[in-house]
Every structure is written in structure tokens, then in C-alpha cells.
Amino acid sequence: MGFFKKENQISSIIKEKLKANNGKALMPTLRGAPIAFWLSPTGMGIETDKLPNYILEWEHFDEIVKKANSLGGKMYRGDVIAMSGGKLGEEIPYDCMEGFIASELLFTGNGMSVTRRSTYYSGILAWAGIITIHRSQGNGSFITVNIKYRNS
């Protein structure tokens, strides 16, 4: 992994683990059955049938972990707010996973609705052993970056 930039470490780990698993795996969820995901035929990232026509891009995984680390290694997901029609910058804060993905990675405007994506990004990161997903303790579910990947 010596030729990868440090900021690409997270996506490289996911790629290698997924390739070692024949390109397909099941991500954990907080509720319900695990969700299937696989390497995108385009090579741009990961796909799941739960988000048709959407690629979870490699760089997004790096940026999510980087943002969570900048928040002390803990980041709220904001998925329930997104599912119930919350708007970016209003009900959905910019520093939760849904707000960060929407504003910084997908360039969604302030006040716009957000499509829930944190479930899939966090599920894949958890599958790869990079983060841990936690149930709500009153403020919504959240992730913590595992010690090995802090400040990556």
C-alpha cells in the first residue's frame, strides 16, 4: 500500500477486502437483514440494489472518515431525519453524516431534501472494520472511527 496517498488508505482497505471476498459482501445494519453490496463494474466504487443507479464512490469513504476524525472520531448519522423529509441546514446539520455527504460530496444546496445514504456508507465502513455503528442514545445513531483508523 506504499504508493497510495494517506488520504486514500480507507478506500484502499475497502477495495482490498472486497476483492478478497470475490467482489461481493453483506453489510451490517442496525435494523433488519444485512444488505448486499458489490464492486461497481465501472470501478468507480460500490453498488447496492438499495440505491439503484448510484455509486458509493471510493473518495467518499475517505472523506467521511476524515470528517468523523475531525469531529473527534464520532459522527451522528442523521438517517432518521433524512428519511422523514428533513432539509439540509435546517433539520439536517452539516456535521452529521447525511448533511456532510449531501453538502460536501454531492453538492446539495441548503434547504434541500436529502436522500438517506449514511446507512450504506456506514454499513460498508463497519463491514471493513474501520468504524463501529452505535444505536441511538437519545440523539440518533452514530459511528465511531475505530482506534486504528483515527486521524487517517
Side-chain angles (χ1 to χ4, degrees):
M1 206 170 10
F3 65 93
F4 289 108
K5 294 180 185 175
K6 186 174 182 179
E7 61 266 23
N8 292 330
Q9 177 185 14
I10 299 303
S11 57
S12 297
I13 292 165
I14 297 168
K15 283 180 199 177
E16 292 308 312
K17 287 186 176 189
L18 199 47
K19 285 177 184 176
N21 205 44
N22 296 317
K24 297 179 182 180
L26 295 172
M27 71 179 84
T29 61
L30 286 177
R31 292 183 227 162
I35 298 170
F37 66 99
W38 54 90
L39 289 169
S40 171
T42 66
M44 300 284 297
I46 295 173
E47 294 182 21
T48 175
D49 60 356
K50 300 293 184 183
L51 289 174
N53 304 313
Y54 182 77
I55 296 174
L56 298 134
E57 296 180 33
W58 297 121
E59 305 82 40
H60 293 183
F61 294 98
D62 299 318
E63 293 301 319
I64 290 166
V65 172
K66 182 177 173 183
K67 179 64 175 179
N69 276 327
S70 78
L71 297 169
K74 178 180 178 180
M75 185 180 216
Y76 285 93
R77 293 187 349 168
D79 53 332
V80 173
I81 302 168
M83 283 181 14
S84 48
K87 307 283 187 223
L88 181 62
E90 296 171 14
E91 300 87 0
I92 300 174
Y94 290 99
D95 62 355
C96 76
M97 190 181 283
E98 292 292 354
F100 177 74
I101 292 167
S103 65
E104 297 298 318
L105 304 178
L106 302 177
F107 310 107
T108 303
N110 191 42
M112 301 294 293
S113 295
V114 171
T115 300
R116 181 184 63 140
R117 291 183 171 91
S118 66
T119 298
Y120 312 103
Y121 284 105
S122 60
I124 293 166
L125 287 164
W127 168 82
I130 296 163
I131 60 110
T132 301
I133 305 171
H134 304 271
R135 291 187 179 278
S136 176
Q137 298 173 349
N139 294 322
S141 62
F142 61 96
I143 65 166
T144 53
V145 179
N146 295 336
I147 297 294
K148 182 177 179 182
Y149 303 103
R150 293 272 169 101
N151 299 315
S152 293

